[in-house]
Amino acid sequence: MAGSHSHWRTPRSCDVYWSEFKHCKSLFNRFHEYYTYGRAPDCQQWKEDYYTCKDWETNHSTHTKESLQESERKRVAEQRKFTPVWELRQTPPADWHLPLNQGKPQDP
Amino acid sequence: MDQNSAKEDGSSNKGPLQDTKEPEKQKAAAESKQKEEDLGYSLYPERNSSKYAQGSIGESLFTFKHKCQIMLQFAMDTSPYAKLLLGAMKSSGCAVYKDRHFSCEDCDGTVSGGFDAATSQIVLCQNNIHQQAHMNRVVTHELIHAFDHCRARVDWFSNFRHLACSEIRAANLSGDCSFVNEISRFNFGLKEHHQACVRGRALRSILAVRKVSREEAERVVDEVFDSCFHDHAPFGRIPHAKKDAKFAYRDYENRDRYYANL
């Protein structure tokens, strides 16, 4: 829809993509990727997303929008690539906000 | 060596034991005490009664309560790990209030903190936390348990898989297993050492609060490790240090824009 297209914003601002790219490439992060996963980090996508983001700022093309959306959806999917051990709640635990029992009465 | 442990409970009687002459009551009391020990409550002797009355001179002179409370406030105000978790919990409907959901207490010699699911409280061991960096880490670790309690149906009491999962996540995401922390424990390792550390610390935490064999605990940790190691909520990444945590917090603050434009 033409209306939603003009209101669309990049999921992150362009400088965020650049700072993520620089952080990804840093010695600190490369060390920790090895320390955690035993491999080198893959930072290329952050750089591409930065350029796509800058592209969007200049020409607002559907292609750049979809490219960025696809990249981010992949990132979200990556974060969800596991089978949860537990069932997620719809509402928080009922007793979270209940006051503490100061005297701690004996339960029967 | 300090360690965190998750302390959880279903429905055990936590009142102080009464000295009675009736055999039924004595038996019930003994059973209750056994249940408390089974759930690790003996590590936190002040959960039922404290040595000094609250607000007394004895408390201010002979305990680290005040120091603990100051360090806690500082952690909540300045640590990006804590701020992100507090924000995420508020979004999930579990707003955290320092006076209600945190308790500074004296604990058994080796423990740094715990999460009491029965009272929805995080216990901070004031006699074992003396540095701000340590406080930040303990607060983060326990808030991860609280976060799991808030957003999922975690059966702390009888499901070892759930317990193991939350311990894996807490060790993974709190900075417990950072390179620097491991070196300070003389655990030298490089390639994928983070994972080995997470496994080891989760194992230790389980063994500290449950009467279960090492083999059984290892089996459960192995079973759930792949799933729980890759669950990075609410960080979206493994925050190895403050910079990662700051980036994660930035993402959290921008989450509305992010998901609206996916």
Side-chain angles (χ1 to χ4, degrees), chain B residues 106-162:
Chain B
D106 282 336
C107 310
D108 177 68
T110 57
V111 163
S112 304
F115 174 63
D116 184 356
T119 54
S120 305
Q121 260 199 336
I122 288 170
V123 177
L124 300 171
C125 298
Q126 61 199 20
N127 55 327
N128 291 329
I129 306 173
H130 298 297
Q131 292 176 329
Q132 187 63 52
H134 189 193
M135 173 61 83
N136 292 353
R137 203 160 40 84
V138 175
V139 166
T140 302
H141 182 113
E142 303 306 335
L143 276 173
I144 289 169
H145 290 318
F147 176 71
D148 287 340
H149 181 69
C150 176
R151 61 153 184 158
R153 296 194 183 282
V154 182
D155 183 357
W156 300 100
F157 177 52
S158 50
N159 192 327
F160 278 129
R161 287 163 54 89
H162 288 188

Side-chain angles (χ1 to χ4, degrees), chain A residues 10-97:
Chain A
T10 55
R12 308 176 210 245
S13 67
C14 296
D15 55 303
V16 170
Y17 287 111
W18 188 251
S19 73
E20 289 284 4
F21 171 63
K22 295 296 281 180
H23 178 65
C24 182
K25 297 284 291 174
S26 69
L27 181 61
F28 175 90
N29 187 60
R30 279 186 282 139
F31 171 79
H32 280 96
E33 186 80 9
Y34 185 75
Y35 180 67
T36 310
Y37 298 110
R39 64 179 186 220
D42 182 7
C43 305
Q44 194 53 26
Q45 194 58 44
W46 288 117
K47 191 177 186 184
E48 284 178 21
D49 287 347
Y50 170 72
Y51 287 122
T52 312
C53 186
K54 292 307 257 184
D55 255 344
W56 166 263
E57 279 183 350
T58 43
N59 57 30
H60 289 283
S61 77
T62 314
H63 172 73
T64 51
K65 171 185 169 187
E66 284 173 2
S67 170
L68 212 43
Q69 281 181 317
E70 193 190 320
S71 169
E72 289 292 1
R73 285 173 192 165
K74 258 197 204 151
R75 282 201 183 98
V76 171
E78 272 296 315
Q79 279 296 310
R80 293 182 181 164
K81 249 186 194 167
F82 63 93
T83 315
V85 160
W86 43 48
E87 185 195 325
L88 291 179
R89 289 177 164 276
Q90 305 303 320
T91 53
D95 57 357
W96 179 260
H97 288 293

